[in-house]
Amino acid sequence: MIIGVPKEIMHDEARVAASPEAVAKYVADGHTVLFEANAGEGAFYHDEDYREAGAEIIKSAKEIYDRSDIIIKVKEPLFNEEFGMHEIDMMHKGQYLITFIHPASPVNHDMVRKMAAQGVIGLTLDGVPRISRAQNLDALTSMSTCAGYKGILMAANDLASFFPQMFTAVGPIRPANVLVIGVGVAGLQALATARRLGAVTYAADIRPAAAEQAKSLGAKVVDTGVPEALAVGEGGYAQHLPEAELLKERERLAEVVKDMDVIFCSALVPGKIAPVVITEEMVKSMKRGSVIVDIAIDQGGNCAITPAGSREVKHGVTLEGIKNIPGMLPQSSTWMFSQNMYNLVKYLVKDEQVVLDMNDEICRSILVTQDGEIVHKGAREAMGMD
């Protein structure tokens, strides 16, 4: 098959969907790889590296979209200013797109509709189920590791005071209080990083097992008051809460939010819009100069006023809604992402064609659009289609 790797066009996105190492694997498997010139420069991978790995270097992204059977990307399709058209409009019926689509997020609904109308078969990486046989396909876990680490470094940079306790000639300075909401892969990495930097760490997660993991990392656990039966769904993931329970969770969190210097938000429900657990009133209660890093922003965000895709100060609190935090670690994140993507393509391609077996949990979970229809359950629910 012909696999196309266009340059990412999201602002400040330095990652690319394939490393030279991954390209060599695709070529060894019998695929043709079309790689856009200079697409790897941001991750410190150069065209000569890709050429040596067997890729055909293409100067025009449009040619890559025209010729490829499969397009692999890091971020969702966007409007390409160079050509004056959306990346989806460069694609053709029956072409496969594998990337992070986040189809349930409201900001992506129009793009998903466009993808369906164009006849593109969309496969979203954030849909890969966290089951043992899918671990090496799971780019979301890889990128969450990067986001948890880098997100805390961003918070430390934004914060108006020290992270660790400091003993100075003029007196002591207390350590920063850091609350992590949502203790998945990113949350655990955030807790570990904040603790290494000397902060006092707190954690909140509606799942008892996740809270226990946070406790094992030295965090003080905030009791959300959500019954386990309502909190934990299939596979140990968090479930979408009824509004009454969500209100109770917000009330519990409001008691501690006002004392936090940093809040790291990473609470997600698979295939759904992220739950809003921090209201604008809660932000107003925080100390001026404090920070919220909301990495759930790709799926709508955990804070009601997080700016999607940017950094803003509201009510004296710095709100980080940057959508490509892993891209700030471009080489490490590109290498990890590339391995996940290669493993997924190898899993899906059989006898030189993509095979989507709807009896397979992996295929069923990642499929977003097919035959001109939006089939992703979470997207359909978020769009009011079901």
Side-chain angles (χ1 to χ4, degrees):
M1 300 193 78
I2 300 175
I3 298 172
V5 188
K7 184 176 181 179
E8 297 296 322
I9 60 173
M10 178 176 278
H11 181 64
D12 286 341
E13 179 56 78
R15 290 173 294 175
V16 66
S19 65
E21 180 183 338
V23 167
K25 291 181 179 180
Y26 288 124
V27 173
D29 289 345
H31 302 299
T32 297
V33 178
L34 308 181
F35 190 88
E36 185 176 352
N38 299 316
E41 289 297 320
F44 303 97
Y45 294 123
H46 310 300
D47 285 355
E48 54 267 31
D49 302 325
Y50 288 101
R51 195 174 284 109
E52 288 177 11
E56 183 180 341
I57 305 300
I58 306 294
K59 290 185 178 180
S60 170
K62 195 169 187 312
E63 182 180 344
I64 290 178
Y65 282 101
D66 286 342
R67 292 176 54 191
S68 301
D69 301 309
I70 302 172
I71 294 291
I72 60 174
K73 279 176 50 60
V74 177
K75 299 301 293 184
E76 68 270 19
L78 300 168
F79 185 82
N80 188 310
E81 293 182 1
E82 180 185 352
F83 295 100
M85 62 194 303
H86 201 282
E87 287 180 304
I88 291 295
D89 291 326
M90 297 187 202
M91 301 189 70
H92 51 264
K93 184 177 180 181
Q95 194 171 38
Y96 292 87
L97 171 67
I98 309 177
T99 185
F100 281 117
I101 298 171
H102 300 290
S105 179
V107 297
N108 291 330
H109 288 177
D110 286 344
M111 179 268 291
V112 171
R113 292 186 186 99
K114 181 188 286 283
M115 190 162 56
Q118 195 78 353
V120 174
I121 303 164
L123 304 171
T124 188
L125 296 171
D126 53 289
V128 173
R130 284 182 177 166
I131 54 179
S132 58
R133 65 189 178 89
Q135 284 182 340
N136 69 347
L137 319 176
D138 191 357
L140 184 60
T141 289
S142 294
M143 297 305 99
S144 293
T145 298
C146 298
Y149 169 77
K150 190 65 174 181
I152 288 297
L153 297 186
M154 290 165 57
N157 191 54
D158 289 337
L159 193 64
S161 57
F162 291 112
F163 251 51
Q165 185 171 21
M166 301 290 284
F167 295 97
T168 76
V170 291
I173 299 174
R174 68 166 184 82
N177 289 328
V178 176
L179 169 64
V180 172
I181 300 175
V183 192
V185 174
L188 288 170
Q189 186 59 235
L191 283 172
T193 304
R195 189 168 175 81
R196 285 194 292 265
L197 291 175
V200 176
T201 54
Y202 297 78
D205 197 298
I206 61 176
R207 299 164 298 165
E212 279 300 311
Q213 285 183 300
K215 192 174 181 180
S216 72
L217 288 176
K220 300 177 182 180
V221 175
V222 178
D223 182 10
T224 62
V226 178
E228 183 174 358
L230 292 176
V232 184
E234 185 179 348
Y237 294 111
Q239 290 198 119
H240 184 71
L241 293 177
E243 188 62 27
E245 290 298 329
L246 191 55
L247 287 172
K248 289 179 186 176
E249 182 184 5
R250 288 177 188 151
E251 288 173 3
R252 294 287 186 96
L253 289 173
E255 296 172 8
V256 296
V257 159
K258 63 182 185 298
D259 297 321
M260 294 298 117
D261 299 290
V262 170
I263 300 177
F264 181 91
C265 299
S266 59
L268 297 173
V269 177
K272 309 273 187 187
I273 297 171
V276 175
V277 294
I278 297 179
T279 64
E280 184 168 6
E281 287 303 310
M282 291 162 73
V283 176
K284 289 179 180 178
S285 76
M286 296 177 69
K287 292 169 286 188
R288 301 301 176 258
S290 52
V291 180
I292 295 176
V293 177
D294 192 349
I295 73 161
I297 194 63
D298 273 328
Q299 288 175 236
N302 291 147
C303 175
I305 60 171
T306 302
S310 65
R311 172 186 179 275
E312 293 181 21
V313 178
K314 298 181 181 181
H315 309 301
V317 177
T318 299
L319 293 155
E320 291 277 8
I322 302 299
K323 296 182 72 175
N324 59 341
I325 293 176
M328 296 177 178
L329 291 168
Q331 194 165 75
S332 292
S333 58
T334 287
W335 184 83
M336 296 172 75
F337 182 93
S338 298
Q339 302 307 309
N340 295 134
M341 180 67 84
Y342 168 76
N343 291 333
L344 180 58
V345 171
K346 190 172 182 66
Y347 182 84
L348 295 174
V349 175
K350 299 174 178 64
D351 297 324
E352 299 183 7
Q353 64 179 349
V354 176
V355 177
L356 296 175
D357 178 3
M358 288 301 101
N359 292 316
D360 177 18
E361 182 182 358
I362 295 172
C363 295
R364 195 168 58 247
S365 298
I366 65 175
L367 185 61
V368 177
T369 55
Q370 188 180 43
D371 299 327
E373 300 290 335
I374 299 169
V375 299
H376 186 274
K377 183 178 178 182
R380 292 181 64 86
E381 288 179 2
M383 292 179 184
M385 298 173 70
D386 286 336

